[in-house]
């Protein structure tokens, strides 16, 4: 990893390993940036809008040229790291297996990574992939650790005693004071003049973070300028007041090993808010702001309840140093565990569905809306004597999840080491829980609508297709990826008599409840007219007159097929629908060019001419909706030809396998997909 950073000229980087199951990346190794800055991205789902996720999922190099480029392509990380830097993300793979992803960072103000740097990145990724493969072959795979490892900065040339004395004299002669910070922001050296300016003994400052050791420096701009210097590798400056009225200026000069700081007196700034004169316990103010912003940005992308739980666990546990989390809500008078992380499932199962009257912290916090903090098990047992110490944790925070001014659930955070929860930290935890509560309320509403939509769609489509002797069939339905997950695509198979069957497929315009309701009416009308023995043209004509009378404001395409099992022939009529495909027994596949008819619901007097085709043994008739072939930027004729090619090479004796192949190669489902395959029996 150090060699890759050095060879590419990067300021640092992050190496991710792919978790078992291939759905998320885990941060394994960091170089050139502090672990705290990478905390929000310790675990990255492959579906997250992040450069490394895109690089691994799509197996390509992702380049981000600077701050504006980052804001345009990836607004979530740009919100949390609003600094000038560029990056390259690339997949890490061996010859046979995808192993993870690599992110490398370059300072702002320089030319974005070009072809040479990208080639060096790809070579480094191949070496890293081979090393990870070798570890796996030794049965020692690199798996996620509790926290990522950090590479030390490159060593400097050691100074001789004479050089050290000269450097010390040089520093002492400079006006004002000086100090040095490591990459984590901790003070590694400070001159007596600098210690005097900030009002502390040098021994009390070395090894500490300035914004923790000096309460008046715990203002967002201080840590923010340190972060900006570290990421952009550009000098930064700020002015801050040391109580009661001493104004100090700070100049930061970064490189790959740390930051040199010059400190001097400054003139008072105008209308600057007073700095705090007492310690603010808990995370620094800048860290709080970054956590709040990142949590808010992340939760806006969460869809269902499980998304909220996963995002909360991914962000909160590493950011707050907690080891376990549980999200609870009231449901039918009981406390339901909606999700958890860090706790065994058996333990959570014992608490799931307990009555809300149970004397446990989760129930009381949900009822009162007041947070509860327990610094030890003795504190917990004092308030809840019946509690058993089962989880092995040392401290707990139980926070209300508030939405629309009322508690809708509770959040349990558990720590394996004692924690005092000072006022500043309690305020942070309560704010974060408030964000989760609002997201959870939206997610539960979405889940309810999604469940209702799927029930509606299921009720309108056939649960099973009738078994018709002499006919083999397979059907598939895939909802659109956007909207409510319901739409107007439908299919049907109808037993007409011992020797005749009918088949229909159609598409009502839209992806909403109106489209689904109209789809139910169209399917019922087609089924009813077919059942009385109407010809394909009459079935569509009569359904069309019904729709024009209803005037729903939506149009419908449809194909109806009447199959004579005795003569092995089919008669088809179409209303503006994509033409069926017919795969012959020898594999040759062609479009069935049915005479076109108008969409249903436009003209009540439309006529729908029919076409008759043979259906000999071994052939397959494919009826489908346009979602199976249409995609932005793809020519429809080319897409239909590609579908015909898949049909041609599929096994005609396995219609279910054929259907799965066609659906698997469909475009991303921005539209519904319905598919009905029909083949005469032997």
């Amino acid at each position: 990893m150090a060699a890759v950073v050095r060879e590419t000229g990067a300021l640092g980087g992050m190496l991710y390993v792919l978790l078992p199951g291939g759905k998320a990346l885990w941060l394994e190794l960091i170089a050139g940036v502090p672990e705290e800055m990478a905390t929000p991205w310790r675990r990255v789902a492959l579906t997250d809008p992040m450069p490394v996720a895109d690089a691994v999922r799509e197996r390509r190099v992702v380049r981000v040229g600077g701050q504006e480029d980052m804001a345009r392509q990836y607004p979530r990380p740009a919100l949390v790291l609003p600094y000038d830097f560029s990056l390259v993300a690339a997949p890490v793979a061996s010859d046979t297996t995808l192993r993870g992803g690599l992110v490398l960072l370059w300072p702002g103000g320089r030319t974005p990574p070009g072809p040479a740097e990208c080639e060096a990145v790809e070579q480094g990724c191949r070496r890293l992939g081979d090393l990870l493969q070798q570890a796996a072959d030794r049965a020692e795979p690199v798996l996620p650790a509790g926290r990522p490892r950090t590479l030390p900065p490159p060593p400097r040339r050691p100074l001789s005693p004479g050089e050290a004395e000269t450097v010390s004299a040089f520093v002492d002669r400079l006006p004002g004071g000086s100090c040095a910070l490591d990459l984590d922001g901790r003070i590694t050296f400070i001159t007596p003049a600098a210690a005097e300016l900030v009002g502390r003994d040098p021994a009390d400052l070395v090894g500490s973070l300035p914004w923790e050791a000096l309460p008046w420096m715990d203002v967002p701009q201080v840590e923010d300028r340190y972060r900006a210097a570290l990421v952009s590798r550009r000098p930064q400056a700020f002015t801050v007041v040391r109580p009661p009225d001493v104004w100090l200026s700070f100049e930061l000069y970064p490189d790959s090993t740390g930051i040199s700081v010059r400190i001097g007196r400054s003139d008072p700034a105008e209308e600057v808010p007073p700095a705090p004169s007492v310690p603010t316990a808990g995370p620094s103010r800048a860290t709080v702001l970054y956590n709040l912003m990142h949590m808010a940005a992340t939760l806006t992308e969460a869809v269902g309840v499980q998304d909220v739980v996963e995002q909360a666990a991914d962000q909160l546990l590493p950011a707050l140093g907690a080891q376990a989390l549980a999200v609870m809500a009231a449901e039918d008078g009981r406390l339901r565990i909606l999700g958890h992380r860090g706790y065994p499932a058996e333990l959570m199962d014992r608490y799931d569905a307990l009555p809300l009257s149970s004397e446990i912290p989760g129930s009381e916090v949900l009822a009162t809306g007041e947070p509860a903090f327990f610094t030890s098990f003795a504190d917990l047992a004092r308030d809840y004597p019946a509690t058993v110490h089962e989880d092995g944790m040392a401290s707990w925070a139980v926070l209300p999840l508030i939405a629309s001014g009322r508690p809708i659930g509770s959040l349990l955070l558990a720590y394996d080491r004692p924690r005092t929860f000072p006022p500043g930290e309690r305020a942070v935890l309560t704010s974060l829980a408030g964000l989760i509560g609002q997201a959870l309320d939206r997610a539960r509403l979405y889940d309810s609508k999604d469940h209702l939509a799927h029930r509606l769609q299921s009720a309108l489509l056939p649960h099973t297709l009738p078994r018709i002797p002499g006919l083999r069939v397979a059907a598939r339905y895939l909802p659109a990826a956007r909207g409510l997950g319901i739409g107007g695509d439908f299919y049907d198979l109808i037993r007409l008599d011992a020797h005749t069957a009918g088949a229909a497929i159609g598409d009502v315009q839209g992806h909403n409840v109106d489209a689904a309701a109209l789809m139910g009416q169209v399917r019922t009308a087609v089924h009813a007219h077919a059942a009385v023995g109407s010809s394909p043209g009459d079935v569509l004509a009569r359904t069309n007159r019904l729709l024009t009378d209803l005037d729903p404001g939506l149009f419908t395409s449809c194909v109806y097929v009447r199959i004579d099992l005795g003569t092995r022939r089919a008669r088809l009529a179409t209303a503006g629908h994509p033409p069926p495909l017919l795969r012959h027994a020898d594999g040759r596949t062609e479009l069935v060019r049915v005479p076109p008819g108008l969409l249903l619901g436009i003209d009540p007097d439309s006529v729908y001419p029919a076409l008759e085709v043979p259906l000999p043994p071994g052939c397959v008739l494919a009826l489908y909706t346009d979602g199976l072939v249409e995609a932005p930027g793809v020519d429809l004729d080319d897409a239909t030809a590609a579908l015909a090619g898949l049909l041609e090479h599929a096994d005609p004796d396995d219609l279910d396998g054929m259907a799965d192949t066609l659906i698997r190669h469909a475009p991303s489902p921005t539209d519904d997909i319905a598919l009905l395959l029909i083949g005469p029996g032997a």
Side-chain angles (χ1 to χ4, degrees):
M1 178 70 173
V4 173
V5 172
R6 183 175 61 253
E7 291 165 7
T8 58
L11 66 87
M14 296 171 283
L15 176 65
Y16 286 85
V17 294
L18 192 61
L19 291 177
K23 294 184 178 180
L25 298 160
W26 192 268
L27 183 57
E28 180 68 25
L29 193 61
I30 305 174
V33 293
E35 177 190 340
E36 180 271 331
M37 198 174 291
T39 292
W41 303 290
R42 249 182 164 171
R43 180 186 179 276
V44 176
L46 287 185
T47 55
D48 282 348
M50 299 287 295
V52 69
D54 287 351
V56 173
R57 187 181 64 254
E58 300 171 10
R59 294 202 175 206
R60 65 181 178 92
V61 174
V62 173
R63 298 174 59 187
V64 179
Q67 190 172 3
E68 291 186 9
D69 200 13
M70 177 68 81
R72 183 173 61 256
Q73 293 189 58
Y74 301 100
R76 189 204 293 178
L79 182 67
V80 185
L81 290 174
Y83 311 120
D84 192 14
F85 67 96
S86 57
L87 68 79
V88 165
V92 172
S94 63
D95 290 339
T96 58
T97 309
L98 193 61
R99 292 289 172 185
L102 178 68
V103 178
L104 292 176
L105 312 174
W106 281 266
R110 54 154 283 165
T111 304
E117 286 96 340
C118 289
E119 175 60 27
V121 171
E122 292 186 34
Q123 291 179 1
C125 286
R126 285 194 290 270
R127 297 204 304 271
L128 289 167
D130 291 341
L131 290 171
L132 292 173
Q133 181 65 53
Q134 292 169 22
D137 293 342
R138 296 193 305 268
E140 299 173 353
V142 177
L143 297 174
R147 54 191 301 175
R149 289 175 285 179
T150 302
L151 282 180
R156 287 188 176 277
R157 180 181 65 83
L159 299 177
S160 67
E163 288 174 322
E165 184 177 347
T166 301
V167 169
S168 177
F170 168 77
V171 171
D172 289 341
R173 285 192 294 270
L174 292 174
S178 304
C179 73
L181 309 177
D182 63 16
L183 295 178
D184 291 320
R186 298 188 180 277
I187 299 172
T188 58
F189 164 81
I190 186 166
T191 63
E196 183 178 354
L197 284 170
V198 299
R200 291 289 296 274
D201 188 275
D204 297 334
L205 295 173
V206 174
S208 66
L209 295 169
W211 43 88
E212 289 183 355
L214 304 167
W216 45 272
M217 292 195 76
D218 188 14
V219 290
Q221 65 163 329
V222 173
E223 190 180 351
D224 181 70
R225 290 302 87 199
Y226 150 74
R227 285 170 170 254
L230 199 64
V231 174
S232 70
R233 289 291 197 265
R234 288 178 168 182
Q236 303 290 328
F238 62 88
T239 303
V240 68
V241 64
R242 191 195 86 193
D245 55 6
V246 178
W247 284 91
L248 300 175
S249 65
F250 293 79
E251 299 172 1
L252 282 62
Y253 300 93
D255 72 0
S256 61
T257 62
I259 299 176
S260 298
V261 183
R262 295 273 293 115
I263 309 173
R265 289 184 177 271
S266 176
D267 293 331
E270 295 182 1
E271 300 181 3
V272 175
S277 58
V278 296
T280 56
S284 69
R285 293 189 180 189
T287 299
V288 170
L289 290 175
Y290 295 132
N291 285 337
L292 284 170
M293 286 191 299
H294 192 262
M295 176 64 73
T298 299
L299 291 177
T300 59
E301 298 167 1
V303 179
V305 169
Q306 289 309 308
D307 279 347
V308 172
V309 174
E310 291 296 319
Q311 296 284 16
D314 288 347
Q315 304 303 321
L316 285 185
L317 294 184
L320 301 176
Q323 280 64 50
L325 165 151
V327 179
M328 298 161 277
E331 188 176 299
D332 298 328
R334 295 185 175 274
L335 186 70
R336 305 297 308 206
I337 307 293
L338 300 181
H340 58 89
R341 176 82 62 82
Y343 277 129
E346 312 84 66
L347 179 61
M348 292 291 96
D349 289 343
R350 290 204 292 275
Y351 285 88
D352 190 28
L354 286 177
L356 288 176
S357 57
S358 302
E359 292 189 1
I360 57 175
S363 291
E364 185 164 338
V365 166
L366 199 155
T368 64
E370 295 294 328
F373 301 92
F374 306 99
T375 60
S376 66
F377 182 71
D379 288 347
L380 183 60
R382 183 176 60 250
D383 292 348
Y384 300 94
T387 301
V388 178
H389 197 178
E390 297 180 274
D391 63 359
M393 298 294 176
S395 298
W396 300 263
V398 189
L399 309 162
L401 301 177
I402 306 294
S404 302
R406 59 182 179 84
I408 63 166
S410 53
L411 171 68
L412 170 67
L413 291 169
Y415 302 80
D416 62 357
R417 295 183 180 180
R419 206 170 185 94
T420 58
F421 300 111
E425 186 170 359
R426 295 186 181 204
V428 171
L429 293 176
T430 303
S431 297
L432 291 170
L435 292 175
I436 296 171
Q438 294 172 33
L440 182 64
D441 195 40
R442 294 192 303 269
R444 294 179 77 183
L445 179 61
Y446 175 87
D447 282 350
S448 296
K449 289 182 176 179
D450 187 61
H451 179 65
L452 176 62
H454 281 89
R455 287 184 61 188
L456 175 61
Q457 191 82 51
S458 177
L460 293 173
L461 289 170
H463 295 286
T464 59
L465 295 176
R467 293 184 177 276
I468 300 177
L471 205 61
R472 299 178 300 118
V473 295
R476 296 290 185 271
Y477 174 78
L478 193 66
R482 58 183 174 86
L484 288 176
I486 61 175
D489 286 20
F490 69 93
Y491 60 85
D492 205 355
L493 184 69
I494 311 158
R495 182 199 298 271
L496 299 177
D497 57 39
H499 305 289
T500 314
I505 197 162
D507 182 0
V508 178
Q509 171 192 2
H511 306 95
N512 51 34
V513 174
D514 292 339
L518 183 59
M519 176 265 281
Q521 293 174 309
V522 173
R523 178 172 167 251
T524 300
V526 170
H527 197 115
H529 294 309
V532 298
S534 299
S535 67
D538 286 344
V539 168
L540 295 184
R542 293 172 182 178
T543 303
N544 175 58
R545 283 195 290 272
L546 170 67
L547 291 191
T548 52
D549 288 343
L550 292 174
D551 191 22
L554 299 174
F555 304 129
T556 303
S557 69
C558 185
V559 166
Y560 176 69
V561 185
R562 183 181 174 91
I563 304 168
D564 189 322
L565 300 172
T567 62
R568 299 185 187 276
R569 299 187 71 81
R571 194 166 182 81
L572 306 87
T574 181
H577 199 81
L581 286 166
L582 179 61
R583 184 192 189 280
H584 296 276
D586 61 2
R588 181 173 54 89
T589 302
E590 63 176 333
L591 283 175
V592 181
R593 301 189 181 278
V594 185
L598 272 180
L599 292 167
L600 303 177
I602 297 178
D603 179 2
D605 298 321
S606 290
V607 176
Y608 298 92
L611 173 72
E612 188 171 294
V613 296
L615 285 183
C619 72
V620 177
L621 182 66
L623 309 178
Y624 56 93
T625 56
D626 55 10
L628 191 61
V629 289
E630 285 190 351
V634 178
D635 181 79
L636 186 57
D637 291 339
D638 292 341
T640 305
L643 181 64
L646 291 172
L647 266 175
E648 181 177 332
H649 293 93
D651 182 1
D653 295 326
D654 181 10
L655 292 191
D656 281 314
M658 181 182 286
D660 290 339
T661 297
L662 300 185
I663 291 293
R664 187 165 56 248
H665 288 83
S668 178
T670 55
D671 195 3
D672 306 31
I673 295 174
L675 172 67
L676 184 60
L677 301 178
I678 303 168

